Amino acid sequence: MNASPITTLDPPRPAAPSLQPPPHRPSAWRRHGTTSLLATGIVLVILLSAGTGPLATSLPEAAKIITGHLIPGMAWMSDGSITVSQDQAVWNFRLPRTLLAGIAGASLALAGALLQTNVRNPLAEPYILGVSAGAGVGAVLAIVAGSTAMAGIGLNAAAFLGAAGATVLVYLLAKQGGIIAPSRLILAGVALGSLLAAITNFLTITTEAQNVYSVLFFLLGSVSAASYGQLVLPGLALAVVGIYAMARSRALNAMLAGDETAIALGVNVTSMRRTLLLATALLTATTVAVCGGIGFVGLVVPHAVRMIVGSDHRRMLPLVVLGGALFLMLTDLLARSVAQPAEIPLGILTAAVGAPFFLWLMRTSGARAAGVGQ
Amino acid sequence: MNVSFENVSVEIGGRRIVDNVSLAVPSGTVLGILGPNGCGKSTLLRTLYRAQKPSAGVVRVDGEDIRTLNGREVARRIAVMAQESTQEFPITVREMAMLGRVPHQRGFGADSAADHELIDAALREVGAAHLASRYFAGLSGGEKQRVLLARTLVQQTPVLVLDEPTNHLDIAFQLELMTLATSRGLTVLTALHDMNLASEFCENVALLRAGRLQGIGRPHEVLDEETIRAGFGVDSARLEHPLTGRPLIAVAKLRAEAPGAQPQANHHTEPLKEHA
């Protein structure tokens, strides 16, 4: 919308042909540099995480254990240089939790990026849809009532059902005449989220004291109990949505310019918005069901990436996925090493680390040029 | 590529915004759509680029019902310069112009060298080459219009839709923009407020009032004093432009004694009622 009420005295500029053609992709080196930096960082953090913990394991030992499991027939796996407990700690505990942190971070960041484009609001993050609040209700019900009372449904399944239920509700509430208006979606999500949070809080305050810690631990987010089996669903969701989003990245670019423009450029905005909403909910629900409520990743990572490579989804989405993964892997490493042997819930650290970093980034000149100051 | 509206009506919330409009735009001609605020100009144009579904009637481009074409097919025939631009996300001018390639490209992957050449040429043509790496949100109103026009050129369509393209623009650039848009041999449909701009750049003008087509034809045939009084609620006189020799329409507030006089202030908020 051109809000300028004044008639701008914009002198007609002669079509002065510049002698040098402008550089086509000025940020190419930046993008490739960032991609390789993030990829290297992810490998390093996986190794570092595998080698960090109460049971002493050196980095080479951790690398040996992981390679030994991936490639059969490695000599060091059977010559006694690695103890069984080292092998257990690295392969069965540290690696799955690091991978889960990576998948969760990537999913939440991707969900945030897609949602921000979908509702054309840079302040949106996956949790405003009320999906995580729904997961909270499911999880707390499972903890408070006990798995037996819930017909044998475990904590993760209950959380997923809660998240799925909230998704359906927010979708139905936001839909009117077959169209989902972005503002109605945000309002419905926020209102539903508050309602569900109230239910969660009521259940928490009225349950026995011993349950309160479990509830809080879930609500604040953690990957400490990760197993390989838990990686399957979030990993699948991430792969499916990731491929979809990359394939539709030009249409996503068009949606940034406004609904009317996107329609005129041939994008079916109504169906695109619906699919994106479901994709976001799927990413969030599968992640939250396993990891609990990890906030801030979905808000901060897409913004940081936009400041580095701009808004074009073709450049931005791969970096959002990598950046989200690296950010949450690092946070998890911090969460279990700064206060050893205690663990700090992830949700606390993502905000405690992410907020200052984001505020610093926001005040850099690149961010101002990118319109964050408006 | 010719465009035609056949008995098109649009109802929104029980209100009839466009009422049984039929008109045809021959290939390669420029049609100016005139009328007071709220008369249905934009809504009629929106039915052409599929942003608004008509409640009755058919819109055809090149003889084909646009409802039987998919979004991409329509977007390869019709480019739109409308009154909307995002402020929320950092989009550069080059990226904004590159959006014009969206209907022509598929899948993931970089833009081709041909795409980049097309964008350079379009930005040069509208005099915005020096803005290429600036952020769109930081441009002045006139600069934004230049970039949006470049995007329609990049879209390479035979039909161009302009929705009040000269709003907020200084006089010189109004003339420059209309020249750029109408000199390419495209079929152009443009909603306009300025009758003189319409007379100068349009082969035909259509006058809408309260959703109905009041007249269509050559500007000097349609825009007589009586029609202008009925359509816009202003008095007018036709002069000859002392510099160009073209007809010039000079408007003035309605005189109280004029037939069918009505307070002029109304016409911004409500479509005028029928005059006797």
Side-chain angles (χ1 to χ4, degrees):
Chain A
M1 210 72 46
N2 190 347
S4 165
I6 33 167
T7 306
T8 45
L9 284 175
D10 180 43
R13 286 186 175 75
S18 51
L19 293 174
Q20 293 164 301
H24 286 156
R25 275 160 281 172
S27 62
W29 64 270
R30 230 177 165 184
R31 177 164 45 104
H32 295 312
T34 315
T35 310
S36 20
L37 205 68
L38 288 176
T40 319
I42 286 174
V43 174
L44 281 181
V45 172
I46 288 178
L47 283 181
L48 203 59
S49 296
T52 307
L55 183 75
T57 322
S58 68
L59 275 187
E61 280 170 340
K64 276 181 175 178
I65 293 169
I66 295 173
T67 344
H69 276 278
L70 293 178
I71 306 164
M74 288 291 159
W76 58 76
M77 293 306 282
S78 45
D79 66 1
S81 62
I82 286 155
T83 67
V84 175
S85 47
Q86 276 181 324
D87 183 49
Q88 280 275 325
V90 170
W91 185 254
N92 287 346
F93 293 102
R94 295 175 192 169
L95 189 62
R97 76 175 293 168
T98 308
L99 292 180
L100 182 60
I103 291 174
S107 296
L108 292 173
L110 180 60
L114 294 181
L115 190 66
Q116 285 165 9
T117 301
N118 195 11
V119 301
R120 218 177 325 118
N121 186 332
L123 292 178
E125 70 156 336
Y127 294 155
I128 61 157
L129 287 183
V131 176
S132 65
V137 171
V140 173
L141 268 179
I143 293 167
V144 169
S147 179
T148 36
M150 301 270 290
I153 294 173
L155 177 72
N156 293 344
F160 183 79
L161 286 180
T167 306
V168 172
L169 261 181
V170 81
Y171 177 78
L172 292 177
L173 286 170
K175 203 173 82 160
Q176 203 162 43
I179 289 172
I180 304 162
S183 54
R184 204 158 48 216
L185 183 63
I186 293 176
L187 290 176
V190 168
L192 188 71
S194 305
L195 178 66
L196 293 172
I199 296 174
T200 304
N201 288 338
F202 177 76
L203 289 173
T204 310
I205 203 83
T206 50
T207 186
E208 295 148 45
Q210 74 215 33
N211 286 340
V212 174
Y213 181 78
S214 312
V215 170
L216 266 183
F217 199 72
F218 177 84
L219 291 181
L220 292 173
S222 172
V223 290
S224 62
S227 66
Y228 286 108
Q230 288 181 329
L231 300 178
V232 176
L233 275 183
L236 270 180
L238 177 62
V240 169
V241 175
I243 290 169
Y244 167 79
M246 305 281 183
R248 304 290 288 147
S249 50
R250 290 180 207 272
L252 288 167
N253 286 346
M255 281 181 80
L256 280 187
D259 284 6
E260 198 96 336
T261 305
I263 292 169
L265 292 170
V267 179
N268 186 340
V269 171
T270 308
S271 88
M272 183 94 181
R273 178 159 285 144
R274 193 168 39 215
T275 313
L276 281 175
L277 175 60
L278 292 179
T280 312
L282 182 70
L283 285 176
T284 315
T286 50
T287 304
V288 174
V290 183
C291 308
I294 305 167
F296 219 64
V297 183
L299 179 69
V300 77
V301 174
H303 275 287
V305 171
R306 270 193 210 100
M307 288 174 202
I308 296 167
V309 298
S311 303
D312 187 334
H313 288 82
R314 287 170 297 170
R315 294 197 301 254
M316 175 202 154
L317 290 178
L319 291 186
V320 163
V321 170
L322 291 178
L326 182 62
F327 178 67
L328 209 58
M329 281 177 170
L330 264 177
T331 314
D332 180 53
L333 181 59
L334 269 182
R336 65 192 178 87
S337 50
V338 285
Q340 238 176 335
E343 282 207 11
I344 302 171
L346 272 181
I348 294 178
L349 269 189
T350 49
V353 175
F357 170 71
F358 184 65
L359 291 173
W360 168 76
L361 201 60
M362 194 184 81
R363 297 191 63 85
T364 59
S365 54
R368 273 197 296 280
V372 171
Q374 287 179 359
Chain B
M1 196 172 274
N2 61 317
V3 170
S4 62
F5 297 82
E6 295 167 12
N7 305 105
V8 172
S9 293
V10 178
E11 271 182 39
I12 300 172
R15 259 189 77 215
R16 190 160 271 230
I17 311 290
V18 174
D19 193 357
N20 201 21
V21 169
S22 296
L23 58 88
V25 190
S27 191
T29 65
V30 180
L31 175 76
I33 302 176
L34 295 166
N37 289 340
C39 71
K41 298 188 294 287
S42 296
T43 309
L44 183 68
L45 289 177
R46 292 178 85 236
T47 64
L48 174 58
Y49 57 91
R50 303 205 342 159
Q52 176 71 52
K53 196 177 176 180
S55 42
V58 181
V59 183
R60 293 183 194 279
V61 55
D62 204 18
E64 286 188 75
D65 182 350
I66 56 143
R67 285 284 144 192
T68 64
L69 302 170
N70 69 34
R72 285 170 71 89
E73 288 168 333
V74 173
R76 275 182 244 158
R77 299 176 187 205
I78 303 168
V80 183
M81 184 172 156
Q83 303 278 312
E84 184 188 47
S85 70
T86 183
Q87 301 279 356
E88 290 90 353
F89 292 95
I91 301 178
T92 65
V93 164
R94 171 167 281 279
E95 286 166 344
M96 189 58 115
M98 188 60 91
L99 287 181
R101 297 310 294 159
V102 168
H104 299 276
Q105 298 165 319
R106 268 201 190 281
F108 193 69
D111 307 300
S112 68
D115 289 336
H116 282 290
E117 275 164 30
L118 208 56
I119 280 148
D120 290 335
L123 288 176
R124 266 200 306 276
E125 186 164 349
V126 301
H130 61 294
L131 303 171
S133 53
R134 293 259 307 268
Y135 284 105
F136 184 77
L139 302 182
S140 75
E143 290 169 334
K144 280 181 181 166
Q145 293 294 77
R146 283 177 201 269
V147 176
L148 293 181
L149 182 67
R151 190 179 71 202
T152 66
L153 302 185
V154 166
Q155 208 172 330
Q156 290 192 307
T157 57
V159 180
L160 178 58
V161 172
L162 308 168
D163 191 358
E164 297 183 17
T166 56
N167 278 9
H168 306 298
L169 299 184
D170 62 77
I171 310 280
F173 187 44
Q174 289 190 12
L175 298 177
E176 186 191 340
L177 185 139
M178 289 305 293
T179 308
L180 280 169
T182 58
S183 61
R184 302 173 59 88
L186 305 177
T187 309
V188 180
L189 287 87
T190 173
L192 285 171
H193 274 303
D194 186 331
M195 285 176 269
N196 288 311
L197 217 51
S199 322
E200 182 163 353
F201 289 98
C202 303
E203 270 100 353
N204 294 300
V205 296
L207 184 64
L208 284 186
R209 184 154 54 103
R212 295 220 182 120
L213 185 65
Q214 297 296 303
I216 179 167
R218 302 272 157 203
H220 63 272
E221 292 163 6
V222 175
L223 296 173
D224 60 44
E225 288 171 24
E226 192 53 46
T227 320
I228 289 172
R229 187 182 300 117
F232 295 91
V234 292
D235 276 328
S236 64
R238 187 168 312 180
L239 315 169
E240 185 181 298
H241 195 299
L243 296 179
T244 64
R246 290 170 183 279
L248 181 69
I249 297 160
V251 296
K253 231 162 98 171
L254 266 193
R255 286 157 295 167
E257 69 273 20
Q262 236 194 357
Q264 188 225 11
N266 275 349
H267 90 279
H268 280 295
T269 48
E270 282 180 353
L272 288 177
K273 296 182 189 72
E274 285 287 337
H275 293 277

